[in-house]
Amino acid sequence: MIYGNRVKGKVAIITGSALGIGQACAKLLAAEGAAVAVTDVNDEAGQCLVDEICEAGGTAGFWHLDVSNEREVTAVTQMVRTKFGPTTILVNNAGVGGTEKPTHEVTADEWDNLMAINAKGVFLCTKHVLPQMMSVKRGSIVNLSAIYGLVGASQMAPFRASKGAVQWLTKTDAITYARYGIRVNTIHPGFISTPMTENHLAARGDDSEDTKIAAQRLHPMGRMGDPEDVAFGVLYLASDESRFVSGAELVIDGGFSARLC
Ligand SMILES: NC(=O)c1ccc[n+]([C@@H]2O[C@H](COP(=O)([O-])OP(=O)(O)OC[C@H]3O[C@@H](n4cnc5c(N)ncnc54)[C@H](O)[C@@H]3O)[C@@H](O)[C@H]2O)c1
């Protein structure tokens, strides 16, 4: 499935791209000409996606990568460079939802485990890809935050704190690395129909049709987003069409947060 050339010649690492939003990003960036490194802890689904992309005429490879493990991040970023050349697009997508509890019930381990993936993972992948981008004086880093990096809500404190951390790392790096031609932006999705959202609704002990309808109604557009709705935003920020966009917050939420701001 080849669409066009919007990111032709670029090399993209997408974390957590076996399923959900990351998977949609991998398919779209490959269809638009990028060589895509699909990375995830889910090896079977990741390899399956790479086979699908390659059969459709795209260029992709799979690497097992737990973003919270610096040794793996170091090795995979180097292996991708050896196979495809310097990485010029990094999509820090891997993330977990974590516990539903209020802050006073969250254990230190629950906090640490979530932060290790959602916040430290973004830092580690950014840290190890930046030298490659600096060496070619160009690059686009797209970090997946959430509308809860912008507005508050009750419960899920570790998740929401992690998305705030991602947002402020993004702005700091946007300023620091602009002189190297590197842009860094965040995307803030509303509820998107992915395994994470399914698990989140199920964890509330109620994944009935009524709960799904209630979640859809939070969005003025009357539905949850599809992974592709977010992938098109990632494509824009990854491409040269956004060449003067850095440190920005791209909200993709069907109007959810418009009524909260
Ligand atoms: N789905 C939503 O409604 C929503 C809303 C706002 C933000 N987001 C953010 O978008 C991103 C993607 O979410 P999603 O809904 O597609 O999630 P998902 O759970 O459907 O998919 C996440 C992927 O990340 C992988 N993963 C988990 N832990 C990992 C680790 N340690 N290292 C590498 N990969 C790991 C999983 O195997 C999976 O393939 C996340 O950062 C999430 O916080 C999602």
Side-chain angles (χ1 to χ4, degrees), residues 18-64:
L19 299 172
I21 292 169
Q23 182 191 76
C25 293
K27 287 184 185 174
L28 187 56
L29 292 182
E32 291 288 346
V36 173
V38 173
T39 68
D40 205 293
V41 290
N42 184 336
D43 297 356
E44 195 181 337
Q47 188 56 58
C48 205
L49 174 62
V50 165
D51 294 344
E52 189 186 328
I53 290 171
C54 293
E55 276 163 26
T59 302
F62 175 74
W63 284 268
H64 176 94

Side-chain angles (χ1 to χ4, degrees), residues 60-105:
F62 175 74
W63 284 268
H64 176 94
L65 174 61
D66 175 349
V67 294
S68 67
N69 182 324
E70 186 162 20
R71 193 175 37 77
E72 290 185 16
V73 173
T74 308
V76 169
T77 49
Q78 287 311 317
M79 284 189 278
V80 172
R81 182 185 189 131
T82 302
K83 186 167 173 75
F84 292 138
T87 296
T88 46
I89 298 169
L90 170 64
V91 183
N92 279 312
N93 167 79
V96 291
T99 177
E100 268 281 332
K101 297 172 189 169
T103 302
H104 73 282
E105 292 178 8

Side-chain angles (χ1 to χ4, degrees), residues 195-237:
M196 177 183 282
T197 303
E198 294 291 329
N199 295 339
H200 171 72
L201 295 176
R204 293 188 155 183
D206 182 5
D207 56 353
S208 67
E209 216 35 48
D210 283 352
T211 306
K212 285 187 186 156
I213 289 167
Q216 288 165 1
R217 285 195 179 137
L218 293 169
H219 306 76
M221 295 191 79
R223 67 170 174 91
M224 286 194 248
D226 298 320
E228 293 73 23
D229 294 327
V230 180
F232 279 116
V234 170
L235 174 63
Y236 166 68
L237 291 174

